[in-house]
Amino acid sequence: MVTIDGIGSLNLVKAEIDNTLKQAETAIEMYADDTENEAKLKLAIELFRQVRGIFRLIGLPGATMLISEMELLSKDVFDERNDDNEIQLAALSNAIIILNHYLEYVHIKQSIFPALLITTINELRVIGKKSFVAESSFFAVNLNVVRDFSVKSSSAVDLSDIPILSRRLRLMYQVGMLGVFKGENPKTNFRLMLRALQRIDALCGDVPMG
């Protein structure tokens, strides 16, 4: 599948997505008022499926995962066909609201930041009796980067000192990060964070833990 830039492409299709989600929200509300009207629930499922396809195409992983959970939970409600579905329907309505807010965030901030949707995704998964999605699900790291052992490695450190050194390095990193958040001399504070990470990396040594 071809993936298009998520932020730029969202600007082109956001109005269409907003309209589709509004239709789905109305369909869910109408089904909640009359659970005999299964056509409305089927319509919501189809609309969720359409939006999921758009999200996958333009490359919005968090939104894709959330709309997939919404689609699956809707199918569960349809398959169960009982009146004890207030929790599921309320969760679906809430998820639509959250998704709308998220899309507005992406549109304004020009940043996809998929982890913002983890809480809502897990709320739906709990209702569907599924395991949690980890908060690190959307975190990617390049493990092929060559590590620099120019800083003293753990082989030259007394193992009993590592807990103390680790706490000091964590504090160093947090001080730098706080300075970045406050906008206080970002370059200096980024370097402070980098030094802390380099020393932590060296403490790990050339072992799998690294």
Side-chain angles (χ1 to χ4, degrees):
M1 175 177 291
V2 177
T3 299
I4 308 171
D5 171 56
I7 297 172
S9 300
L10 176 62
N11 298 334
L12 300 176
V13 296
K14 187 174 182 300
E16 178 186 347
I17 294 173
D18 289 345
N19 182 57
T20 304
L21 290 176
K22 182 62 179 176
Q23 292 180 53
E25 184 177 26
T26 300
I28 291 292
E29 291 173 350
M30 294 180 71
Y31 177 75
D33 291 337
D34 179 14
T35 54
E36 296 297 321
N37 193 351
E38 295 181 352
K40 293 300 178 184
L41 184 57
K42 291 177 68 175
L43 173 61
I45 294 171
E46 174 59 23
L47 293 171
F48 289 151
R49 186 191 65 78
Q50 292 177 18
V51 175
R52 173 169 56 83
I54 295 174
F55 286 156
R56 289 186 62 191
L57 181 63
I58 66 177
L60 293 177
T64 301
M65 184 179 290
L66 177 55
I67 201 74
S68 296
E69 294 296 338
M70 293 161 66
E71 182 183 356
L72 290 172
L73 186 58
S74 300
K75 289 178 178 178
D76 287 345
V77 173
F78 183 80
D79 291 339
E80 291 171 4
R81 288 183 173 83
N82 59 53
D83 296 329
D84 187 21
N85 53 29
E86 291 185 9
I87 294 177
Q88 290 96 323
L89 295 176
L92 287 169
S93 296
N94 179 66
I96 292 174
I97 294 172
I98 297 297
L99 184 53
N100 278 320
H101 287 322
Y102 172 76
L103 294 175
E104 194 63 27
Y105 169 88
V106 173
H107 180 65
I108 294 173
K109 297 293 186 179
Q110 296 294 288
S111 174
I112 62 173
F113 200 35
L116 289 172
L117 296 175
I118 288 291
T119 298
T120 307
I121 290 169
N122 281 331
E123 287 174 354
L124 296 182
R125 290 180 65 85
V126 167
I127 293 173
K129 297 180 174 60
K130 291 184 284 187
S131 61
F132 278 0
V133 168
E135 292 191 7
S136 60
S137 295
F138 301 110
F139 175 74
V141 61
N142 181 7
L143 298 177
N144 295 318
V145 174
V146 177
R147 295 169 61 204
D148 179 11
F149 291 105
S150 59
V151 183
K152 184 171 62 173
S153 70
S154 60
S155 61
V157 176
D158 190 324
L159 293 179
S160 64
D161 291 335
I162 289 181
I164 297 174
L165 289 171
S166 298
R167 287 193 290 271
R168 289 176 181 171
L169 292 172
R170 180 179 64 182
L171 179 60
M172 180 190 296
Y173 181 87
Q174 291 174 334
V175 168
M177 183 172 60
L178 184 60
V180 171
F181 286 165
K182 290 182 176 180
E184 299 173 351
N185 202 343
K187 288 185 178 180
T188 298
N189 283 302
F190 270 127
R191 284 197 293 269
L192 186 62
M193 294 168 67
L194 178 60
R195 284 202 302 273
L197 291 175
Q198 288 173 332
R199 293 177 183 177
I200 290 170
D201 185 41
L203 280 176
C204 292
D206 191 15
V207 295
M209 179 180 67

